[in-house]
Amino acid sequence: MGNAQKKEGGSQHSRPGTPGSNWSSRSQSSPGTKPEVNGTHPVERRVGEESRGISPAESSGTGAENCNLDAPAGALPPPLARLKNEGNLLFKNGQFGDALGKYTQAIEGCETAGIDSPEDVCILYSNRAACYLKDGNCTDCIQDCTRALELCPFSLKPLLRRAMAYESLERYRKAYVDYKTVLQIDVSVQAAHDSIHRITKMLIEQDGPDWREQLPEIPVVPLSAQQHRRDEPSAEVLQARAARAEQEKARQAEARFTLLKQEGNDMVKKGQFESAIEKYSECLKIKSSECSIYTNRAICYLRLDQYAEAKQDCDTALQMEPTNKKAFYRRALAHKGLKDYLSASTDLQEVLQLDPNVREAEQELQEVTVLLRESLLTAQG
């Protein structure tokens, strides 16, 4: 049958061909009187106005204006699907007795053919129950709704229609339980809220302050039957939200990275090398692929005579950028600090090969060459 939807704005004036347009044609209860038995139930009129999907015709997507009687209907074979579609169209046109006949034929056809489709048969019983309710036959309405619920427990429309029928028969306790169950399935059904409020007053008058103790047990609706799940965003919407969240996360991370890097640079200028190392290390937690952070941190390690750490950072930088002059130069200084003058000389030559105009590299190469010779002479001696 589909699900009861939330109240539509401006639905107090029903359109031609919609459920509400014919449901108010019978005599209505005057204020202060009980719900009518023969004629349209006042609650159903409100549900027709406030909740799309209550009409059997709408459950199959058919309508008087554009109706394909041969349209598929779930797992029903074509002849039975046609009977259902015909019933929907008749119901939509207010011909409830004729619609009832079509649904009855479809139900009997399912029994004869042994149709094993609980959902489809449940809809047929629920649709026929709507016809009974329209004609004030609350007893048969209750019977069909109960059968529908045996086929598909916690189906919203059979529960709602049975509640209406119970209320019309002044069986308020059972009506209260069904309305409460409806609201567990879909809390947006305003007609159920209104009915609960009205019936509560009647039960208090009827049973006194202990009226709750005399109620039948209200079943607990499993989460799988609660329709709020159907209101969850589609996969596309969830993907778009996730993408936006990732973009925002990336934007915030980039902003923090830029701030930490600037703070690290400022600390280097002030000679606060240990603090700068902390800032650069935080940067690398955000973006470990930023080559300049490794070369910047290498400066700090060099100033603190932590040559092994400086060499490691330069190694990482050169893996990312094999022609990075700063990384070669600073690794040369690290090698020099570690007294590996041959490696220092090799790195300085790489710098000068990349850029012959780097005076610092030229000066360091001269000094390292001297140190290398001295180390070799010392080793020979």
Side-chain angles (χ1 to χ4, degrees), residues 359-379:
R359 290 183 176 274
E360 297 86 345
E362 190 174 335
Q363 293 171 358
E364 284 291 340
L365 180 58
Q366 292 175 2
E367 184 177 341
V368 165
T369 301
V370 172
L371 292 170
L372 177 59
R373 287 174 181 172
E374 291 177 353
S375 66
L376 291 173
L377 290 172
T378 301

Side-chain angles (χ1 to χ4, degrees), residues 187-252:
V187 73
S188 70
V189 181
Q190 186 58 45
H193 285 287
D194 296 340
S195 296
I196 287 290
H197 181 70
R198 179 177 59 257
I199 291 175
T200 299
K201 293 181 179 179
M202 295 178 179
L203 288 173
I204 291 173
E205 293 178 2
Q206 173 182 300
D207 299 329
D210 298 329
W211 64 276
R212 291 183 185 276
E213 298 177 6
Q214 302 185 48
L215 289 173
E217 182 179 357
I218 299 174
V220 177
V221 176
L223 288 175
S224 59
Q226 294 179 16
Q227 291 188 10
H228 65 77
R229 290 190 165 201
R230 301 186 184 183
D231 295 332
E232 290 179 356
S234 64
E236 292 77 7
V237 171
L238 290 175
Q239 290 175 358
R241 287 181 182 176
R244 287 195 297 270
E246 285 297 318
Q247 291 173 356
E248 177 61 19
K249 182 179 179 181
R251 185 193 68 77
Q252 293 179 359

Side-chain angles (χ1 to χ4, degrees), residues 48-59:
E49 294 168 349
E50 298 174 350
S51 178
R52 287 185 53 192
I54 195 66
S55 162
E58 289 190 324
S59 72

Side-chain angles (χ1 to χ4, degrees), residues 161-297:
R161 288 171 178 147
R162 190 172 70 178
M164 296 173 187
Y166 279 139
E167 186 179 357
S168 288
L169 295 176
E170 300 184 33
R171 298 167 69 177
Y172 297 126
R173 295 170 189 162
K174 289 191 173 183
Y176 182 93
V177 169
D178 277 353
Y179 282 129
K180 276 291 189 180
T181 308
V182 164
L183 292 176
Q184 287 186 67
I185 298 170
D186 188 349
V187 73
S188 70
V189 181
Q190 186 58 45
H193 285 287
D194 296 340
S195 296
I196 287 290
H197 181 70
R198 179 177 59 257
I199 291 175
T200 299
K201 293 181 179 179
M202 295 178 179
L203 288 173
I204 291 173
E205 293 178 2
Q206 173 182 300
D207 299 329
D210 298 329
W211 64 276
R212 291 183 185 276
E213 298 177 6
Q214 302 185 48
L215 289 173
E217 182 179 357
I218 299 174
V220 177
V221 176
L223 288 175
S224 59
Q226 294 179 16
Q227 291 188 10
H228 65 77
R229 290 190 165 201
R230 301 186 184 183
D231 295 332
E232 290 179 356
S234 64
E236 292 77 7
V237 171
L238 290 175
Q239 290 175 358
R241 287 181 182 176
R244 287 195 297 270
E246 285 297 318
Q247 291 173 356
E248 177 61 19
K249 182 179 179 181
R251 185 193 68 77
Q252 293 179 359
E254 184 65 32
R256 178 161 174 74
F257 174 87
T258 302
L259 177 62
L260 288 168
K261 181 179 180 181
Q262 185 58 52
E263 290 176 348
N265 294 345
D266 292 341
M267 289 173 178
V268 169
K269 293 176 183 177
K270 297 175 182 178
Q272 300 172 351
F273 302 114
E274 291 181 352
S275 297
I277 288 173
E278 292 179 3
K279 296 296 181 180
Y280 291 139
S281 297
E282 287 295 318
C283 283
L284 293 174
K285 290 179 182 178
I286 298 172
K287 192 189 299 185
S288 61
S289 60
E290 186 71 18
C291 184
S292 63
I293 300 300
Y294 291 101
T295 55
N296 285 5
R297 191 169 67 172

Side-chain angles (χ1 to χ4, degrees), residues 38 44 126 152 222 372:
N38 296 317
E44 187 167 7
S126 181
C152 293
L372 177 59

Side-chain angles (χ1 to χ4, degrees), residues 277 294-295 297-302 304-317 330-331 334 338:
I277 288 173
Y294 291 101
T295 55
R297 191 169 67 172
I299 294 176
C300 301
Y301 284 134
L302 288 170
L304 296 171
D305 297 334
Q306 295 178 238
Y307 301 118
E309 290 82 354
K311 175 186 176 301
Q312 184 175 348
D313 271 2
C314 292
D315 287 342
T316 303
R330 290 165 188 172
R331 190 171 72 173
L338 294 169

